[in-house]
Amino acid sequence: MIILLFGPPGSGKGTQAELIKKECNINHISTGDIIREEVKKNTPLSKIIKTEIKNGKLINDKIIVDLIEKYIITNKKILLDGFPRTLEQAEFLSQKNFNIEYIINIKTEKQIIFKRIKYRILKNNKNYNILYNKPKIKNKDNITGEYLIKRPDDLFNIIDKRLKDYYNNLDKILNLYKNKIKIIEINGENNINKIFEEIKINIRKII
Ligand code: AMP
């Protein structure tokens, strides 16, 4: 069973995915995290991917499908975060007959996204926010104590491009799923706890 988690960059999707994972004992698969791990490998492929991420571009559909396919194990409960990002990726899921139960769509306005991303810092795929979700010790990861950094693709002009691409693709993807799969819309403009409360009410009905 797969639940798709949609939300623009800065919607708090990653933070919510971690909370859902704990609450529901579900496997969380984030394509962004898989890709960032791939970049660390320093292979010819990772160099291409690194440039694409830095420029705010999506990774080629074939590359991303090859990378993530092995993680989609159908007999497990999966929260799929960051995939599908294009119509072609959605069609890949359909062709494979993966059982998509629900879509959770976190909706957040552009001004709020820019404000959140401006203050976003992270380490090892763990996000913090200087305003809303501070680390216990300034600029350090709560668990490892490593220094928190800014994501290279969190620059203003790159975010603008990522958002345009996101909405452009989202329309096409939702069009494909409309009337076939239940889409749960979540207000992503509240604080972390409130967003999670809203998600919890809905996922209790699902899992
Ligand atoms: P995220 O952490 O989900 O914002 O992903 C970071 C970056 O990884 C994106 O800006 C893309 O370059 C790449 N990426 C993540 N998921 C996908 C996907 N499904 N298709 C293509 N590129 C992706």
Side-chain angles (χ1 to χ4, degrees), residues 13 31-32 35-36 52-53 57-59 64 82-85 89 151 153 162:
K13 189 165 54 76
T31 48
I35 284 172
R36 280 183 285 277
E52 299 291 67
I53 295 184
K57 290 191 183 155
L58 288 178
I59 311 304
I64 190 88
F83 191 96
R85 287 272 241 279
Q89 294 175 16
R151 262 172 70 155
D153 54 346
R162 286 169 63 201

Side-chain angles (χ1 to χ4, degrees), residues 7-10 13 30-36 49 52-61 64-65 68 81-86 89 120 125 127 151 153-154 158 162:
K13 189 165 54 76
S30 153
T31 48
D33 290 353
I34 292 172
I35 284 172
R36 280 183 285 277
I49 295 177
E52 299 291 67
I53 295 184
K54 217 172 142 213
N55 293 326
K57 290 191 183 155
L58 288 178
I59 311 304
N60 169 288
D61 287 324
I64 190 88
V65 163
I68 67 119
D81 157 8
F83 191 96
R85 287 272 241 279
T86 63
Q89 294 175 16
R120 176 156 80 174
N125 297 326
N127 285 312
R151 262 172 70 155
D153 54 346
D154 269 356
I158 302 286
R162 286 169 63 201

Side-chain angles (χ1 to χ4, degrees), residues 93-117:
L93 290 179
S94 303
Q95 280 156 17
K96 290 272 171 181
N97 280 326
F98 287 129
N99 173 24
I100 302 167
E101 283 279 321
Y102 283 86
I103 295 168
I104 298 174
N105 185 19
I106 305 179
K107 298 177 90 173
T108 316
E109 282 301 319
K110 201 169 165 178
Q111 300 93 302
I112 293 186
I113 289 173
F114 278 114
K115 196 169 171 201
R116 283 184 185 162
I117 285 181

Side-chain angles (χ1 to χ4, degrees), residues 27-193:
N27 294 278
H28 171 214
I29 296 174
S30 153
T31 48
D33 290 353
I34 292 172
I35 284 172
R36 280 183 285 277
E37 286 307 312
E38 195 61 34
V39 166
K40 288 183 193 163
K41 290 184 186 160
N42 218 5
T43 59
L45 175 64
S46 73
K47 286 187 186 125
I48 298 170
I49 295 177
K50 195 173 177 181
T51 312
E52 299 291 67
I53 295 184
K54 217 172 142 213
N55 293 326
K57 290 191 183 155
L58 288 178
I59 311 304
N60 169 288
D61 287 324
K62 166 128 183 39
I63 295 178
I64 190 88
V65 163
D66 285 349
L67 276 175
I68 67 119
E69 193 171 0
K70 62 175 176 287
Y71 293 94
I72 310 177
I73 304 159
T74 44
N75 61 350
K76 290 197 174 157
K77 284 190 286 184
I78 291 175
L79 180 68
L80 193 49
D81 157 8
F83 191 96
R85 287 272 241 279
T86 63
L87 187 61
E88 289 72 16
Q89 294 175 16
E91 282 164 350
F92 157 79
L93 290 179
S94 303
Q95 280 156 17
K96 290 272 171 181
N97 280 326
F98 287 129
N99 173 24
I100 302 167
E101 283 279 321
Y102 283 86
I103 295 168
I104 298 174
N105 185 19
I106 305 179
K107 298 177 90 173
T108 316
E109 282 301 319
K110 201 169 165 178
Q111 300 93 302
I112 293 186
I113 289 173
F114 278 114
K115 196 169 171 201
R116 283 184 185 162
I117 285 181
K118 190 170 165 196
Y119 296 104
R120 176 156 80 174
I121 43 178
L122 82 162
K123 186 73 199 177
N124 299 330
N125 297 326
K126 195 162 183 303
N127 285 312
Y128 296 87
N129 189 290
I130 296 166
L131 295 182
Y132 315 106
N133 182 22
K134 288 184 198 170
K136 288 179 190 145
I137 302 170
K138 195 177 170 193
N139 288 336
K140 288 196 175 175
D141 183 82
N142 285 349
I143 295 161
T144 63
E146 289 168 280
Y147 271 103
L148 302 169
I149 52 164
K150 281 215 71 72
R151 262 172 70 155
D153 54 346
D154 269 356
L155 298 171
F156 199 82
N157 58 331
I158 302 286
I159 284 294
D160 202 39
K161 177 177 172 15
R162 286 169 63 201
L163 281 176
K164 280 188 187 127
D165 289 347
Y166 175 79
Y167 287 114
N168 187 17
N169 285 311
L170 183 74
D171 282 348
K172 295 179 198 158
I173 296 169
L174 291 183
N175 228 3
L176 180 82
Y177 290 136
K178 178 172 81 186
N179 304 328
K180 291 184 196 139
I181 296 169
K182 185 169 166 58
I183 301 171
I184 298 163
E185 309 228 307
I186 300 289
N187 178 0
E189 297 183 8
N190 291 321
N191 66 36
I192 293 173
N193 293 340

